[in-house]
Amino acid sequence: VYSIEAPGIGPYSIDYRVASAGGSDGFTVSIDGELIDSQTIPDTGDWQNWTTLTSQEFELVVGVYTLKIDFRDGDQNLNWFELQPPITQICVQAEDFDDQSGISLEDTLDTEPCTEGGSGGGENIGYIDLGDYVEYSISVPSDGTYLIEYRLASEQDSEFELSIGGVMLDARAFEGTGGWQEWTTRSKVIPLTAGEQIMRLDFLGGSISGAININWIRLTRQ
């Protein structure tokens, strides 16, 4: 029996480091008395030949839990297990699109990274006009509320619409930053459902050609 702590809300999994000479009926795992996983141990060839197994996903909220492992037999070794936290952030580099119309790429001077510990630079999308669009495939890890952040630059005011999974979630009027490489971050809280989805930006143009530059888009579970 162990105490574990869930730092966030969402789907978790557990990695187990196991070994068995001949295989085993394995074990079951429960959290606060609820069965969340069952494992059968393969024959790893020796008691010290180790392999890692991964549980099915299960939902937790923030808190401390009691985890219990019940072994079906003694024909197994367990070295460690590790609770894998849910993915809470999605980073989309603007140049990594799946489909687009009218979009061009250029080297960016933006030094703000999309991910913690990451690096800036790379490319941004630009030379965008009225009627252009860009699409990205994203995997939303769980239902919930997300903060979406756009990394933007423009010499002019502009507008665009965001849709995810075919649902329009943001219509944004964007004030110019004073230059095509003068970057800022704009954000909004939006609801999302779990699963593979298409994120699309439709550009509504600005006062001159080349409405806006985008370096990255970040989604963070709230």
Side-chain angles (χ1 to χ4, degrees), residues 117-186:
S119 59
E123 295 178 307
N124 61 257
I125 61 172
Y127 301 96
I128 296 167
D129 299 311
L130 173 66
D132 293 347
Y133 71 86
V134 64
E135 292 184 347
Y136 305 89
S137 295
I138 62 171
S139 180
V140 179
S142 58
D143 295 351
T145 301
Y146 288 75
L147 177 71
I148 185 166
E149 298 171 276
Y150 313 91
R151 191 67 176 167
L152 308 169
S154 181
E155 283 188 353
Q156 60 162 331
D157 297 346
S158 187
E159 296 179 67
F160 62 85
E161 292 180 347
L162 167 85
S163 61
I164 297 179
V167 178
M168 203 270 281
L169 296 172
D170 192 14
R172 180 157 297 271
F174 173 68
E175 294 183 0
T177 60
W180 296 112
Q181 291 295 322
E182 297 293 329
W183 294 91
T184 190
T185 304
R186 296 288 185 265

Side-chain angles (χ1 to χ4, degrees), residues 89-96 110 112-115 125 134-136 138 147-152 160-164 170 183 185-188 190 199-201 203 213-220:
Q89 191 173 90
I90 304 167
C91 178
V92 178
Q93 295 292 341
E95 67 269 26
D96 294 336
D110 187 18
E112 181 73 18
C114 184
T115 57
I125 61 172
V134 64
E135 292 184 347
Y136 305 89
I138 62 171
L147 177 71
I148 185 166
E149 298 171 276
Y150 313 91
R151 191 67 176 167
L152 308 169
F160 62 85
E161 292 180 347
L162 167 85
S163 61
I164 297 179
D170 192 14
W183 294 91
T185 304
R186 296 288 185 265
S187 63
K188 183 178 180 178
I190 59 174
M199 179 173 70
R200 177 179 171 118
L201 296 175
F203 299 99
N213 287 350
I214 302 178
N215 189 17
W216 48 255
I217 301 169
R218 182 167 60 206
L219 292 151
T220 305

Side-chain angles (χ1 to χ4, degrees), residues 2-34:
Y2 304 88
S3 291
I4 60 171
E5 183 174 359
I9 185 173
Y12 285 75
S13 63
I14 301 174
D15 288 343
Y16 315 95
R17 192 66 172 168
V18 298
S20 178
S24 166
D25 289 338
F27 52 82
T28 61
V29 180
S30 59
I31 293 180
D32 283 358
E34 180 180 352

